[in-house]
Amino acid sequence: GAVVSQHPSWVICKSGTSVKIECRSLDFQATTMFWYRQFPKQSLMLMATSNEGSKATYEQGVEKDKFLINHASLTLSTLTVTSAHPEDSSFYICSASSWDVLAKNIQYFGAGTRLSVL
Amino acid sequence: AQTVTQSQPEMSVQEAETVTLSCTYDTSESDYYLFWYKQPPSRQMILVIRQEAYKQQNATENRFSVNFQKAAKSFSLKISDSQLGDAAMYFCAYRSPNTGNQFYFGTGTSLTVIP
């Protein structure tokens, strides 16, 4: 399957700082990317869907000013957690797909980023 | 958002035996897709198997098969000849082409394989 690279794999930051997480599709053009949040031993919660060149669509209850998503190119989407606080500590996972691949119901996942806010 | 329910937080199976993981979902749509994903300790999500709702035939992938009961909104995963490498969290997921391509995941079942 296609490769999705997520960076960093683990980040520790101080409360009040902003953190950027990158999601890259290495061998295909990702027209759609999904961002998920996963709490320990819990399910993946969809945060937002981003289509290349468009504003992200956020799920209900997700603060768009808190979690800034940019999908400016077909190979890169970024999630910025602004003014991070300890309650933002979590595991963040991206997935990527293209229109034709998504039509086959396939999404390729990154390996996730563990965010720890002190 | 759609609701996907996995009623078994934890399951265990003896190596080489068969285990079935349960999943139910709530939808009013007739056209949708269902998936089972595996998340090993590495946290990398891996697609195990998928099923289109319009297909009556149950999907199979080697040792993995599903029992899709559309009327009952049930989608269970059967793992035959369980192997140690099957130990992981398993998530059931739902996708509708009518809701912006989102995938909705269940709460997961932690599978332990006993040697």
Side-chain angles (χ1 to χ4, degrees), chain A residues 46 59-60, chain B residues 1-4 26-27 94 99 102-104:
Chain A
L46 179 66
E59 292 295 297
Q60 191 173 7
Chain B
Q2 308 300 331
T3 302
V4 179
D26 183 25
T27 185
Y94 169 104
T99 55
Q102 291 95 329
F103 289 74
Y104 295 99

Side-chain angles (χ1 to χ4, degrees), chain A residues 38 43 102 104-105 109, chain B residues 33 39 43-44 50 95 106:
Chain A
Q38 186 179 28
S43 184
L102 199 56
K104 301 175 186 176
N105 301 293
F109 283 88
Chain B
Y33 310 91
Q39 187 180 42
R43 307 294 290 271
Q44 178 78 53
R50 54 184 169 152
R95 179 197 172 221

Side-chain angles (χ1 to χ4, degrees), chain B residues 43-98:
Chain B
R43 307 294 290 271
Q44 178 78 53
M45 295 287 284
I46 302 166
L47 177 64
V48 175
I49 198 168
R50 54 184 169 152
Q51 172 88 39
E52 291 88 347
Y54 65 84
K55 289 186 177 178
Q56 293 186 341
Q57 187 173 8
N58 289 323
T60 62
E61 285 287 341
N62 301 314
R63 298 183 294 107
F64 299 88
S65 62
V66 298
N67 183 4
F68 174 48
Q69 302 287 330
K70 190 172 184 179
K73 298 179 184 176
S74 170
F75 183 62
S76 60
L77 173 70
K78 185 171 83 171
I79 306 174
S80 304
D81 185 26
S82 297
Q83 301 175 359
L84 295 178
D86 295 333
M89 281 290 288
Y90 286 82
F91 293 98
C92 178
Y94 169 104
R95 179 197 172 221
S96 165
N98 301 317

Side-chain angles (χ1 to χ4, degrees), chain A residues 14-98:
Chain A
K14 292 183 179 180
S15 184
T17 61
S18 294
V19 173
K20 180 183 286 188
I21 302 170
E22 292 186 347
C23 182
R24 294 182 183 272
S25 58
L26 299 186
D27 52 2
F28 71 102
Q29 294 186 325
T31 50
T32 302
M33 287 191 174
F34 302 93
W35 285 95
Y36 298 88
R37 183 174 181 176
Q38 186 179 28
F39 291 101
K41 298 186 178 181
Q42 294 190 27
S43 184
L44 280 71
M45 180 193 79
L46 179 66
M47 298 175 67
T49 303
S50 73
N51 294 311
E52 186 267 337
S54 303
K55 288 185 178 180
T57 301
Y58 289 81
E59 292 295 297
Q60 191 173 7
V62 178
E63 300 175 60
K64 36 182 88 171
D65 294 331
K66 174 77 172 174
F67 300 100
L68 300 178
I69 292 172
N70 182 283
H71 190 174
S73 79
L74 286 171
T75 59
L76 174 65
S77 176
T78 60
L79 167 67
T80 301
V81 183
T82 62
S83 186
H85 291 284
E87 58 266 28
D88 299 324
S89 298
S90 190
F91 194 69
Y92 293 88
I93 304 175
C94 74
S95 71
S97 193
S98 57

Side-chain angles (χ1 to χ4, degrees), chain B residues 14-33:
Chain B
Q14 207 75 33
E15 193 175 4
E17 297 293 310
T18 296
V19 65
T20 299
L21 308 184
S22 301
C23 173
T24 58
Y25 55 93
D26 183 25
T27 185
S28 58
E29 298 178 323
S30 60
D31 186 21
Y32 51 88
Y33 310 91

